[in-house]
Amino acid sequence: MSATATRRETVLALLDGHGQTYAAQAGIRLRNTPQPLYQLLVLSCLLSARIRASVAVGAARELFKASMRTPRRMQEATWQQRVDALGAGHYRRYDESTSTTLGKGAAFLRERYGGDLRRLRKEAHNDPARMRELLQELPGLGPVGAAVFLREVQGVWTELEPYLDGKAVQGAQRIGLPTKSRELAKLVPAEQLTVFAAALVRAALDKSVVQDVKDRTDAPVHNPARNPRLA
């Protein structure tokens, strides 16, 4: 099998088994409007902690279930209400500090950008490096959280494409794909970049994902038609 065919098989296996954005997993219907962008910001903050991604996603879902879907609702919720929602999502190790951070972050976002992250994008003049800098001004959002946000939002803020950061590249290396962002981006259609990036990050974070991709590519029968865009 040629190197190109092997890469195609690997990408198909990865997307078939793990092709879902973290935003979608958290129930966020991502669009270029204030509420889903804010929800993604909250999720990015939760994912940046040293805690399992599945726990962070679950905590985000509980916050949104408790109606904390906008900066105003997050700020107006009591500290204890935020703690309770985080606890319901099993985000217990960091629940108290994260509750405080989410409240401060919501207040900052409302004061600085009127609660609308599209204003941050405008202030950055659509420049990815400047967006990263501005995101890190938000309480509790460091380099990791900013990278999560930009990786997940690239399908909506298309000037970011391809946003395949170090963590995505690490995942690519683990499953035998190229380790240069531009080369990786050529392996999927533009509309699948966000899903591809999330799947690569899963490979970086979870050895079982790497093993699953290996098992799928080692299978004797493979049907490229299941993802015709990559066939």
Side-chain angles (χ1 to χ4, degrees):
M1 186 182 292
S2 69
T4 299
T6 299
R7 288 176 178 178
R8 184 183 298 117
E9 289 284 315
T10 300
V11 172
L12 282 167
L14 178 68
L15 293 179
D16 279 355
H18 310 281
Q20 184 183 37
T21 65
Y22 286 100
Q25 189 180 354
I28 301 169
R29 295 184 178 182
L30 196 56
R31 301 182 303 279
N32 190 33
T33 55
Q35 182 169 307
L37 289 173
Y38 175 67
Q39 289 177 290
L40 177 59
L41 183 71
V42 170
L43 175 62
S44 300
C45 180
L46 298 176
L47 283 167
S48 66
R50 292 182 178 274
I51 199 164
R52 291 197 313 275
S54 59
V55 173
V57 168
R61 294 183 72 98
E62 290 296 332
L63 286 165
F64 305 151
K65 183 180 176 181
S67 299
M68 295 175 228
R69 304 184 192 95
T70 67
R72 181 179 67 82
R73 293 300 296 269
M74 185 67 76
Q75 185 181 8
E76 290 179 351
T78 67
W79 179 84
Q80 188 61 53
Q81 285 172 329
R82 293 192 294 266
V83 167
D84 290 345
L86 291 165
H90 306 289
Y91 202 90
R92 296 193 177 94
R93 183 177 175 186
Y94 303 101
D95 55 355
E96 295 187 357
S97 60
T98 301
S99 174
T100 299
T101 297
L102 289 173
K104 289 180 177 179
F108 179 91
L109 186 60
R110 294 182 72 192
E111 181 178 350
R112 176 73 182 272
Y113 299 110
D116 189 347
L117 282 161
R118 294 175 302 180
R119 296 185 182 181
L120 180 149
R121 182 190 189 190
K122 184 177 180 180
E123 183 174 323
H125 301 291
N126 292 2
D127 177 62
R130 183 58 179 152
M131 287 184 201
R132 187 164 53 247
E133 291 175 0
L134 292 175
L135 283 167
Q136 290 180 66
E137 292 179 358
L138 286 147
L141 202 74
V144 173
V148 172
F149 182 89
L150 295 174
R151 205 165 54 223
E152 292 274 318
V153 84
Q154 65 181 306
V156 176
W157 292 359
T158 54
E159 68 273 15
L160 291 165
E161 295 176 343
Y163 196 91
L164 296 163
D165 64 326
K167 188 59 71 174
V169 169
Q170 182 183 341
Q173 183 177 30
R174 289 189 174 183
I175 58 176
L177 292 177
T179 55
K180 293 184 178 179
S181 295
R182 292 289 172 182
E183 289 184 38
L184 276 174
K186 294 176 182 178
L187 298 178
V188 296
E191 63 268 21
Q192 288 191 321
L193 272 171
T194 310
V195 171
F196 185 43
L200 289 171
V201 170
R202 287 187 168 90
L205 297 175
D206 190 343
K207 292 180 181 179
S208 70
V209 172
V210 177
Q211 185 60 49
D212 180 64
V213 170
K214 183 180 184 301
D215 291 344
R216 288 170 182 266
T217 53
D218 286 346
V221 177
H222 183 76
N223 179 16
R226 66 191 184 210
N227 196 333
R229 297 304 303 277
L230 300 179

PDB file of all heavy atoms in Angstrom, residues 6-22:
ATOM      1  N   THR A   6      -2.070   4.708   2.710  1.00  0.00           N
ATOM      2  CA  THR A   6      -1.987   4.423   4.148  1.00  0.00           C
ATOM      3  C   THR A   6      -2.488   5.608   4.970  1.00  0.00           C
ATOM      4  O   THR A   6      -3.226   5.434   5.944  1.00  0.00           O
ATOM      5  CB  THR A   6      -0.531   4.108   4.537  1.00  0.00           C
ATOM      6  OG1 THR A   6      -0.102   2.948   3.826  1.00  0.00           O
ATOM      7  CG2 THR A   6      -0.413   3.850   6.034  1.00  0.00           C
ATOM      8  N   ARG A   7      -2.100   6.797   4.574  1.00  0.00           N
ATOM      9  CA  ARG A   7      -2.566   7.988   5.279  1.00  0.00           C
ATOM     10  C   ARG A   7      -4.078   8.120   5.171  1.00  0.00           C
ATOM     11  O   ARG A   7      -4.758   8.475   6.134  1.00  0.00           O
ATOM     12  CB  ARG A   7      -1.883   9.239   4.718  1.00  0.00           C
ATOM     13  CG  ARG A   7      -0.420   9.358   5.090  1.00  0.00           C
ATOM     14  CD  ARG A   7       0.219  10.556   4.416  1.00  0.00           C
ATOM     15  NE  ARG A   7       1.612  10.697   4.807  1.00  0.00           N
ATOM     16  CZ  ARG A   7       2.418  11.630   4.334  1.00  0.00           C
ATOM     17  NH1 ARG A   7       1.965  12.517   3.446  1.00  0.00           N
ATOM     18  NH2 ARG A   7       3.672  11.705   4.733  1.00  0.00           N
ATOM     19  N   ARG A   8      -4.609   7.843   3.969  1.00  0.00           N
ATOM     20  CA  ARG A   8      -6.057   7.939   3.773  1.00  0.00           C
ATOM     21  C   ARG A   8      -6.784   6.962   4.684  1.00  0.00           C
ATOM     22  O   ARG A   8      -7.791   7.301   5.306  1.00  0.00           O
ATOM     23  CB  ARG A   8      -6.406   7.667   2.308  1.00  0.00           C
ATOM     24  CG  ARG A   8      -7.895   7.844   1.997  1.00  0.00           C
ATOM     25  CD  ARG A   8      -8.234   7.509   0.561  1.00  0.00           C
ATOM     26  NE  ARG A   8      -7.536   8.383  -0.373  1.00  0.00           N
ATOM     27  CZ  ARG A   8      -6.644   7.970  -1.270  1.00  0.00           C
ATOM     28  NH1 ARG A   8      -6.319   6.682  -1.335  1.00  0.00           N
ATOM     29  NH2 ARG A   8      -6.087   8.821  -2.094  1.00  0.00           N
ATOM     30  N   GLU A   9      -6.261   5.739   4.769  1.00  0.00           N
ATOM     31  CA  GLU A   9      -6.859   4.737   5.647  1.00  0.00           C
ATOM     32  C   GLU A   9      -6.828   5.203   7.110  1.00  0.00           C
ATOM     33  O   GLU A   9      -7.794   5.037   7.846  1.00  0.00           O
ATOM     34  CB  GLU A   9      -6.091   3.410   5.511  1.00  0.00           C
ATOM     35  CG  GLU A   9      -6.295   2.690   4.210  1.00  0.00           C
ATOM     36  CD  GLU A   9      -7.634   1.999   4.142  1.00  0.00           C
ATOM     37  OE1 GLU A   9      -8.014   1.338   5.125  1.00  0.00           O
ATOM     38  OE2 GLU A   9      -8.306   2.133   3.112  1.00  0.00           O
ATOM     39  N   THR A  10      -5.714   5.782   7.508  1.00  0.00           N
ATOM     40  CA  THR A  10      -5.573   6.241   8.886  1.00  0.00           C
ATOM     41  C   THR A  10      -6.555   7.367   9.191  1.00  0.00           C
ATOM     42  O   THR A  10      -7.197   7.383  10.256  1.00  0.00           O
ATOM     43  CB  THR A  10      -4.129   6.721   9.137  1.00  0.00           C
ATOM     44  OG1 THR A  10      -3.224   5.637   8.914  1.00  0.00           O
ATOM     45  CG2 THR A  10      -3.958   7.231  10.561  1.00  0.00           C
ATOM     46  N   VAL A  11      -6.681   8.315   8.278  1.00  0.00           N
ATOM     47  CA  VAL A  11      -7.614   9.432   8.477  1.00  0.00           C
ATOM     48  C   VAL A  11      -9.046   8.923   8.547  1.00  0.00           C
ATOM     49  O   VAL A  11      -9.835   9.349   9.406  1.00  0.00           O
ATOM     50  CB  VAL A  11      -7.459  10.478   7.362  1.00  0.00           C
ATOM     51  CG1 VAL A  11      -8.559  11.530   7.460  1.00  0.00           C
ATOM     52  CG2 VAL A  11      -6.095  11.151   7.445  1.00  0.00           C
ATOM     53  N   LEU A  12      -9.405   8.003   7.655  1.00  0.00           N
ATOM     54  CA  LEU A  12     -10.750   7.430   7.675  1.00  0.00           C
ATOM     55  C   LEU A  12     -11.035   6.737   9.003  1.00  0.00           C
ATOM     56  O   LEU A  12     -12.104   6.914   9.593  1.00  0.00           O
ATOM     57  CB  LEU A  12     -10.906   6.426   6.526  1.00  0.00           C
ATOM     58  CG  LEU A  12     -11.130   6.996   5.128  1.00  0.00           C
ATOM     59  CD1 LEU A  12     -10.941   5.903   4.078  1.00  0.00           C
ATOM     60  CD2 LEU A  12     -12.519   7.607   5.008  1.00  0.00           C
ATOM     61  N   ALA A  13     -10.077   5.964   9.469  1.00  0.00           N
ATOM     62  CA  ALA A  13     -10.254   5.251  10.746  1.00  0.00           C
ATOM     63  C   ALA A  13     -10.410   6.228  11.897  1.00  0.00           C
ATOM     64  O   ALA A  13     -11.258   6.046  12.781  1.00  0.00           O
ATOM     65  CB  ALA A  13      -9.069   4.324  10.983  1.00  0.00           C
ATOM     66  N   LEU A  14      -9.602   7.268  11.898  1.00  0.00           N
ATOM     67  CA  LEU A  14      -9.670   8.265  12.964  1.00  0.00           C
ATOM     68  C   LEU A  14     -11.015   8.974  12.968  1.00  0.00           C
ATOM     69  O   LEU A  14     -11.666   9.121  14.021  1.00  0.00           O
ATOM     70  CB  LEU A  14      -8.540   9.279  12.793  1.00  0.00           C
ATOM     71  CG  LEU A  14      -8.491  10.416  13.812  1.00  0.00           C
ATOM     72  CD1 LEU A  14      -8.138   9.882  15.195  1.00  0.00           C
ATOM     73  CD2 LEU A  14      -7.484  11.484  13.383  1.00  0.00           C
ATOM     74  N   LEU A  15     -11.462   9.419  11.806  1.00  0.00           N
ATOM     75  CA  LEU A  15     -12.720  10.160  11.735  1.00  0.00           C
ATOM     76  C   LEU A  15     -13.922   9.260  11.986  1.00  0.00           C
ATOM     77  O   LEU A  15     -14.902   9.689  12.608  1.00  0.00           O
ATOM     78  CB  LEU A  15     -12.852  10.839  10.371  1.00  0.00           C
ATOM     79  CG  LEU A  15     -11.844  11.965  10.094  1.00  0.00           C
ATOM     80  CD1 LEU A  15     -12.062  12.538   8.698  1.00  0.00           C
ATOM     81  CD2 LEU A  15     -11.949  13.060  11.135  1.00  0.00           C
ATOM     82  N   ASP A  16     -13.851   8.016  11.517  1.00  0.00           N
ATOM     83  CA  ASP A  16     -14.967   7.091  11.748  1.00  0.00           C
ATOM     84  C   ASP A  16     -15.185   6.839  13.236  1.00  0.00           C
ATOM     85  O   ASP A  16     -16.313   6.778  13.720  1.00  0.00           O
ATOM     86  CB  ASP A  16     -14.704   5.751  11.056  1.00  0.00           C
ATOM     87  CG  ASP A  16     -15.047   5.782   9.576  1.00  0.00           C
ATOM     88  OD1 ASP A  16     -15.576   6.809   9.106  1.00  0.00           O
ATOM     89  OD2 ASP A  16     -14.775   4.787   8.883  1.00  0.00           O
ATOM     90  N   GLY A  17     -14.080   6.705  13.959  1.00  0.00           N
ATOM     91  CA  GLY A  17     -14.205   6.353  15.369  1.00  0.00           C
ATOM     92  C   GLY A  17     -14.242   7.518  16.333  1.00  0.00           C
ATOM     93  O   GLY A  17     -14.814   7.410  17.425  1.00  0.00           O
ATOM     94  N   HIS A  18     -13.678   8.663  15.922  1.00  0.00           N
ATOM     95  CA  HIS A  18     -13.487   9.743  16.887  1.00  0.00           C
ATOM     96  C   HIS A  18     -13.731  11.122  16.284  1.00  0.00           C
ATOM     97  O   HIS A  18     -13.267  12.126  16.826  1.00  0.00           O
ATOM     98  CB  HIS A  18     -12.067   9.657  17.462  1.00  0.00           C
ATOM     99  CG  HIS A  18     -11.730   8.280  17.943  1.00  0.00           C
ATOM    100  ND1 HIS A  18     -12.172   7.783  19.150  1.00  0.00           N
ATOM    101  CD2 HIS A  18     -11.051   7.263  17.329  1.00  0.00           C
ATOM    102  CE1 HIS A  18     -11.764   6.525  19.279  1.00  0.00           C
ATOM    103  NE2 HIS A  18     -11.092   6.190  18.203  1.00  0.00           N
ATOM    104  N   GLY A  19     -14.466  11.165  15.182  1.00  0.00           N
ATOM    105  CA  GLY A  19     -14.685  12.411  14.462  1.00  0.00           C
ATOM    106  C   GLY A  19     -15.848  13.232  14.989  1.00  0.00           C
ATOM    107  O   GLY A  19     -16.909  13.299  14.372  1.00  0.00           O
ATOM    108  N   GLN A  20     -15.644  13.844  16.126  1.00  0.00           N
ATOM    109  CA  GLN A  20     -16.641  14.750  16.703  1.00  0.00           C
ATOM    110  C   GLN A  20     -15.920  15.890  17.402  1.00  0.00           C
ATOM    111  O   GLN A  20     -14.946  15.666  18.119  1.00  0.00           O
ATOM    112  CB  GLN A  20     -17.533  14.013  17.714  1.00  0.00           C
ATOM    113  CG  GLN A  20     -18.660  14.876  18.275  1.00  0.00           C
ATOM    114  CD  GLN A  20     -19.484  14.141  19.325  1.00  0.00           C
ATOM    115  OE1 GLN A  20     -18.958  13.361  20.117  1.00  0.00           O
ATOM    116  NE2 GLN A  20     -20.777  14.375  19.328  1.00  0.00           N
ATOM    117  N   THR A  21     -16.380  17.103  17.182  1.00  0.00           N
ATOM    118  CA  THR A  21     -15.766  18.224  17.889  1.00  0.00           C
ATOM    119  C   THR A  21     -16.146  18.165  19.363  1.00  0.00           C
ATOM    120  O   THR A  21     -17.169  17.581  19.743  1.00  0.00           O
ATOM    121  CB  THR A  21     -16.206  19.567  17.304  1.00  0.00           C
ATOM    122  OG1 THR A  21     -17.616  19.728  17.528  1.00  0.00           O
ATOM    123  CG2 THR A  21     -15.895  19.663  15.818  1.00  0.00           C
ATOM    124  N   TYR A  22     -15.348  18.798  20.192  1.00  0.00           N
ATOM    125  CA  TYR A  22     -15.685  18.877  21.612  1.00  0.00           C
ATOM    126  C   TYR A  22     -16.923  19.741  21.813  1.00  0.00           C
ATOM    127  O   TYR A  22     -17.731  19.485  22.715  1.00  0.00           O
ATOM    128  CB  TYR A  22     -14.497  19.433  22.400  1.00  0.00           C
ATOM    129  CG  TYR A  22     -13.378  18.435  22.550  1.00  0.00           C
ATOM    130  CD1 TYR A  22     -12.254  18.485  21.724  1.00  0.00           C
ATOM    131  CD2 TYR A  22     -13.438  17.421  23.502  1.00  0.00           C
ATOM    132  CE1 TYR A  22     -11.224  17.550  21.852  1.00  0.00           C
ATOM    133  CE2 TYR A  22     -12.414  16.489  23.639  1.00  0.00           C
ATOM    134  CZ  TYR A  22     -11.305  16.568  22.808  1.00  0.00           C
ATOM    135  OH  TYR A  22     -10.299  15.643  22.940  1.00  0.00           O
TER     136      TYR A  22
END
